[in-house]
Amino acid sequence: MLYQIIQHHKNVWLNDPACPVTSLIQYIQQAGELRDAQVEAIGTYLFLKIKGENKPLWKLFSEGFFSNNEDLSTHSINQVAREIFEDNPAARALYEFSRWKANGNSQPSLPGLEKFIVDHVTTLNYENIIKQLFYGIEYTDYLFSLPMGAGKTYLMAAFIYIDLYFAINEPANKIFAHNFIVVAPSGLKSSIIPSLKTIENFNPAWVLPEPAATNIKRLIKFEILDQPKAVKKSNKARNPNAQKVNQYQPFEDLIGLVLVINAEKVILDKIDIIKVGDSFQFDFHETDDAKDKAANELRNIIGKIPNLQIHIDEVHHAATDDIKLRQVVGRWSRNGTINSVLGYSGTPYLTSTDKVVLNDTLSLKFTQITNTVYYYPLTTAVKKFLKKPRVEQARGLEPINIIKKGTEDFFNNYGAKLYKNGTCAKLAIYCGNIERLEEQVFPFLTGTMGIDPALILKYHGGNSKYKITGNDKFEYQILDTPLSQKKIILLVQIGKEGWDCKSLTGVILSQKGDCPANMVLQTSCRCLRQVVKDDKETAIVWLNEENAKVLDKQLREEQHTSIQQLNKIAEEDDDTLVQRYSRLEYLQLPAVEFYQLRVNNTALIIEEDPDTKHKLETVAANPAYKTTAVVETRDITPKGLREREEIYYSGNEEAHFYRWLQAISKGSFNSLTVKNLLSFEEELLVVFNTITYRSKGSRYFNNLYKQQTIQSQIRLAFQQKRDLQTTEEIIPEKASLLLVEKLSAIAEHNKLYPSKEETRQILNIDASGKTVKET
């Protein structure tokens, strides 16, 4: 929700004729090399960087930067609250935040917070609450959430070049960074750092005009800090990575240095995280261990680089390494050398709910990462530029048969596929472990399925039995080039994240453990990257039932979508169809208000023991269950009554004790069995003999007794007495004036209104904010 507030204010700023970056945004759009997601993210970055003066989110929030300056005289609040909101920007900001209508809703998203603020308006520490919303981080920390394939790496490069462009023009302005460090999360060095080297290949002319673009390109100095061991007999630095940084001393006038680094190996070694209360503290061990000293040495040197901007890729890996990294950045920040921290992630949603406790009765719960300043959904990316996936969920098939089906599907649809850049379509089969790859999957593909081994690449970390050759590594590196003729890649614990192979067109996860459960989404999406810009491309994903469930769960939690919705996108991507859209949210049409009566029934058990024996003994003796029958004979004389006869028996339905028990059991829907009844056989025989009579050697049910009522009372005798309590609740509800929640695309024809082109024009005008809204 916070990023929506930021986007609202950003759009107002960019649409202002006096906006200082209008020409730059127009240049980037006209260059046409970046996707709309990247251009929008750049707009958000410039808004926070220039208009927001690169301040931390909590500070911007507290200063009222995101406030709408609503007319408080129209609000139902007391005069004390009104005066506090007028005088205290942080109080007003939090109050307006509580009234924000997310996603165009007609009602505020946090009505409980609004009431709480008004009720405690004089006692709240507003700035402290706002700091808690942003994790108590003092330094500037922004998160950009773009899905895999949207170009996060190029976005990093764009930010670097843009900051340097302004820094060169305004060298004394500290809001613009001079130097940069790109941090890969732990455990991903083998896959992410190589892809980050593509920053070097970014063309600055995509975001900056010439000759500035070329001049800054010459200014930048790249250093990949990936050396694992210390250099011996070095008088300058024992850490080879630190030595690379040291060569740029003195740092005072340093500008244009870009470091690419792995967090785990060169920053986070030997840091212990200690939880104290609700916060984390850390301790840098100072020992004689050479590795520890080398790691500390690099941290110390990096902390001295002035006006440093930190880019953290795949920041959602969080866990303890994220805590460690934040502590390191916090330490650097206290030195006054950190300009800002920019995080990148495919999802802004948390794995568990975050809470900001206001008091004993109220806390704010967030499922989104609150420092998210820009979010581009996966579904939008699939609709606009990623490959359109067809996700197949295999049920009841053995893993090897899933591989067979998926491989056949790939060859039938993409076996001869050659993209415009000369690369051939490829299928990735994840195998879980090396033995399964080497001993089961590969022999099955080359033997049973008869696939040419020359088309298959086996790639894994190797073990004592199975090795990876230099040629295999070379083949893996050239996969996404026209040189590669490989069509099937068998992988083990590689290529789950950060693997940039655009010609990958299919993925198979045939069993549990083919990839970590928390990375099913990232692994499945490996094949969605677009090969040729603006081309309509498709892909296939084959999953066993368990992986399909995990994927669907992760899609719902992290992207608010599902497998079903992803599959529908390809169906809707048809030029012959015109998509219909609802404008209710944009036009803010009022909802229809009504009330719903909710009745709640609660059964309370008020007997500890049903006392079945006593209840059965009283059933037959209860006069309420018997009808008195009398036959009277009267004369038409003054005396009237002549004769009166009382009837004691009536009925001709034959009665059998065990059948009677079965009928009682059946009436309980078998919750009371015949065996249960026979545990009180003696008492039930008394009842049976009472409500039946003998005639001509047989027994018959006496219709003078209420047979169904007696059976019901017998069943109740086995139950504890309950009291039914009923409460009523009147709930205010709202309904839409029009049923437009499930609009689907329809076939285009000449009588359609609005037409496809008119629909596009309306949406563009709405997006610009120029459409007059109804009131």
Side-chain angles (χ1 to χ4, degrees), residues 64-173:
F65 184 75
F66 301 119
S67 295
N68 295 318
N69 297 317
E70 300 173 7
D71 183 2
L72 297 177
S73 65
T74 63
H75 294 198
S76 300
I77 56 177
N78 56 52
Q79 186 59 29
V80 173
R82 191 172 288 111
E83 290 175 357
I84 289 177
F85 295 153
E86 291 286 359
D87 297 333
N88 187 334
R92 187 187 186 109
L94 194 63
Y95 172 69
E96 289 193 10
F97 168 66
S98 71
R99 293 173 51 82
W100 175 262
K101 300 176 178 65
N103 299 318
N105 294 329
S106 59
Q107 293 297 314
S109 299
L110 299 168
L113 176 61
E114 179 184 357
K115 184 178 185 303
F116 179 84
I117 293 173
V118 174
D119 291 345
H120 302 81
V121 68
T122 61
T123 60
L124 294 180
N125 186 332
Y126 296 97
E127 187 171 286
N128 183 58
I129 293 173
I130 291 171
K131 280 187 176 181
Q132 288 185 65
L133 288 176
F134 298 101
Y135 313 114
I137 297 172
E138 293 285 341
Y139 52 82
T140 300
D141 185 10
Y142 304 147
L143 173 66
F144 292 84
S145 178
L146 292 85
M148 179 281 309
K152 293 193 290 290
T153 306
Y154 274 174
L155 186 60
M156 290 182 199
F159 290 159
I160 290 171
Y161 279 102
I162 288 171
D163 256 57
L164 286 174
Y165 173 77
F166 286 104
I168 291 171
N169 287 282
E170 300 180 54
N173 193 339

Side-chain angles (χ1 to χ4, degrees), residues 37-322:
Q38 295 164 312
V39 177
E40 289 172 8
I42 290 172
T44 300
Y45 179 71
L46 290 172
F47 168 65
L48 295 170
K49 174 69 72 168
I50 297 174
K51 180 69 174 177
E53 299 178 342
N54 198 48
K55 294 178 181 179
L57 287 174
W58 73 266
K59 194 168 187 63
L60 290 173
F61 206 100
S62 298
E63 293 175 351
F65 184 75
F66 301 119
S67 295
N68 295 318
N69 297 317
E70 300 173 7
D71 183 2
L72 297 177
S73 65
T74 63
H75 294 198
S76 300
I77 56 177
N78 56 52
Q79 186 59 29
V80 173
R82 191 172 288 111
E83 290 175 357
I84 289 177
F85 295 153
E86 291 286 359
D87 297 333
N88 187 334
R92 187 187 186 109
L94 194 63
Y95 172 69
E96 289 193 10
F97 168 66
S98 71
R99 293 173 51 82
W100 175 262
K101 300 176 178 65
N103 299 318
N105 294 329
S106 59
Q107 293 297 314
S109 299
L110 299 168
L113 176 61
E114 179 184 357
K115 184 178 185 303
F116 179 84
I117 293 173
V118 174
D119 291 345
H120 302 81
V121 68
T122 61
T123 60
L124 294 180
N125 186 332
Y126 296 97
E127 187 171 286
N128 183 58
I129 293 173
I130 291 171
K131 280 187 176 181
Q132 288 185 65
L133 288 176
F134 298 101
Y135 313 114
I137 297 172
E138 293 285 341
Y139 52 82
T140 300
D141 185 10
Y142 304 147
L143 173 66
F144 292 84
S145 178
L146 292 85
M148 179 281 309
K152 293 193 290 290
T153 306
Y154 274 174
L155 186 60
M156 290 182 199
F159 290 159
I160 290 171
Y161 279 102
I162 288 171
D163 256 57
L164 286 174
Y165 173 77
F166 286 104
I168 291 171
N169 287 282
E170 300 180 54
N173 193 339
K174 296 301 182 183
I175 71 172
F176 301 110
H178 289 194
N179 301 288
F180 311 85
I181 178 171
V182 179
V183 181
S186 62
L188 296 176
K189 174 183 175 181
S190 62
S191 56
I192 289 185
I193 284 191
S195 70
L196 292 180
K197 291 181 181 180
T198 58
I199 293 176
E200 294 179 285
N201 302 323
F202 181 85
N203 186 349
W206 296 346
V207 293
L208 297 173
E210 294 289 358
T214 300
N215 292 336
I216 296 175
K217 181 80 171 178
R218 295 194 189 102
L219 174 69
I220 286 184
K221 303 166 282 287
F222 290 92
E223 287 290 351
I224 309 297
L225 306 182
D226 57 356
Q227 295 297 318
K229 296 181 180 180
V231 175
K232 297 180 179 179
K233 298 180 180 179
S234 170
N235 294 326
K236 294 183 178 180
R238 285 181 295 193
N239 186 312
N241 297 308
Q243 188 173 348
K244 287 183 179 181
V245 179
N246 237 352
Q247 65 181 323
Y248 295 99
Q249 294 269 21
F251 290 150
E252 286 74 20
D253 298 320
L254 180 63
I255 187 170
L257 177 62
V258 180
L259 306 175
V260 183
I261 200 168
N262 177 266
E264 182 181 47
K265 297 299 182 185
V266 291
I267 293 181
L268 305 180
D269 286 358
K270 300 297 180 182
I271 302 179
D272 282 348
I273 298 297
I274 305 170
K275 188 168 185 179
V276 179
D278 294 329
S279 63
F280 290 89
Q281 298 180 3
F282 72 109
D283 178 36
F284 292 94
H285 287 298
E286 296 296 337
T287 69
D288 293 331
D289 181 75
K291 182 179 179 182
D292 179 48
K293 285 187 175 180
N296 282 330
E297 181 181 27
L298 180 59
R299 283 196 298 267
N300 182 267
I301 292 174
I302 291 175
K304 294 177 180 177
I305 299 175
N307 219 358
L308 182 68
Q309 184 178 80
I310 303 174
H311 296 257
I312 305 176
D313 194 37
E314 304 299 346
V315 73
H316 61 270
H317 280 279
T320 57
D321 283 343
D322 181 68

Side-chain angles (χ1 to χ4, degrees), residues 424-472:
C424 62
K426 298 170 182 66
L427 171 69
I429 303 176
Y430 293 83
C431 301
N433 58 67
I434 296 174
E435 285 72 19
R436 181 169 182 260
L437 184 156
E438 296 281 0
E439 299 170 8
Q440 297 179 33
V441 179
F442 181 74
F444 178 81
L445 294 174
T446 57
T448 304
M449 296 193 68
I451 298 174
D452 185 356
L455 300 177
I456 302 174
L457 172 63
K458 298 182 292 183
Y459 197 70
H460 49 72
N463 58 23
S464 59
K465 187 175 181 181
Y466 299 104
K467 307 292 184 182
I468 289 297
T469 66
N471 185 62
D472 292 330

Side-chain angles (χ1 to χ4, degrees), residues 7 10-11 14 21-22 24-47 144 146 150-151 154-155 158-159 162 206-207 374 376 385 533:
Q7 292 309 301
K10 176 206 72 172
N11 291 334
L14 288 177
V21 299
T22 299
L24 179 60
I25 294 294
Q26 289 176 347
Y27 172 83
I28 296 172
Q29 290 172 333
Q30 291 170 1
E33 294 297 331
L34 299 185
R35 296 190 173 100
D36 62 342
Q38 295 164 312
V39 177
E40 289 172 8
I42 290 172
T44 300
Y45 179 71
L46 290 172
F47 168 65
F144 292 84
L146 292 85
Y154 274 174
L155 186 60
F159 290 159
I162 288 171
W206 296 346
V207 293
Y374 181 75
Y376 197 87
F385 54 81
K533 188 178 180 182

Side-chain angles (χ1 to χ4, degrees), residues 513-694:
D514 281 347
C515 74
N518 63 344
M519 299 187 72
V520 171
L521 173 58
Q522 291 92 332
T523 306
S524 300
C525 290
R526 286 301 94 201
C527 60
L528 300 189
R529 293 179 184 271
Q530 190 178 51
V531 180
V532 180
K533 188 178 180 182
D534 297 329
D535 270 15
K536 292 184 177 180
E537 300 170 353
T538 59
I540 56 169
V541 179
W542 275 79
L543 306 170
N544 72 327
E545 187 173 4
E546 184 170 359
N547 281 322
K549 289 179 180 178
V550 173
L551 174 61
D552 205 59
K553 180 174 182 290
Q554 291 175 356
L555 284 170
R556 293 181 188 279
E557 293 177 351
E558 300 179 20
Q559 294 292 338
H560 286 196
T561 185
S562 65
I563 290 176
Q564 184 181 14
Q565 289 176 315
L566 284 182
N567 282 336
K568 281 185 177 180
I569 292 176
E571 300 171 5
E572 295 172 353
D573 187 32
D574 191 328
D575 289 337
T576 64
L577 298 178
V578 181
Q579 185 66 42
R580 303 284 85 183
Y581 300 89
S582 165
R583 300 178 72 234
L584 288 181
E585 290 183 2
Y586 181 82
L587 296 176
Q588 298 181 3
L589 295 181
V592 177
E593 298 181 350
F594 65 96
Y595 294 92
Q596 178 183 359
L597 177 63
R598 177 181 294 170
V599 179
N600 297 315
N601 295 316
T602 305
L604 300 178
I605 297 176
I606 58 178
E607 278 186 340
E608 293 184 3
D609 184 356
D611 195 10
T612 303
K613 186 176 185 299
H614 174 71
K615 291 177 182 178
L616 292 176
E617 288 173 346
T618 61
V619 167
N622 193 329
Y625 303 148
K626 184 180 180 183
T627 303
T628 301
V630 177
V631 176
E632 295 181 345
T633 304
R634 294 178 178 270
D635 287 335
I636 309 176
T637 65
K639 291 182 178 181
L641 183 64
R642 185 182 67 185
E643 186 177 318
R644 186 177 188 278
E645 179 186 1
E646 188 171 351
I647 305 299
Y648 297 100
Y649 306 107
S650 174
N652 55 10
E653 181 184 354
E654 196 167 347
H656 300 277
F657 179 67
Y658 289 104
R659 290 182 185 175
W660 179 66
L661 296 183
Q662 289 174 346
I664 295 172
S665 174
K666 186 176 180 181
S668 73
F669 297 97
N670 293 323
S671 62
L672 182 64
T673 66
V674 173
K675 184 178 180 180
N676 298 142
L677 293 168
L678 286 174
S679 61
F680 293 90
E681 183 176 6
E682 182 179 344
E683 289 78 13
L684 288 171
L685 275 171
V686 173
V687 177
F688 179 76
N689 290 331
T690 302
I691 65 174
T692 61
Y693 69 95
R694 181 174 290 279

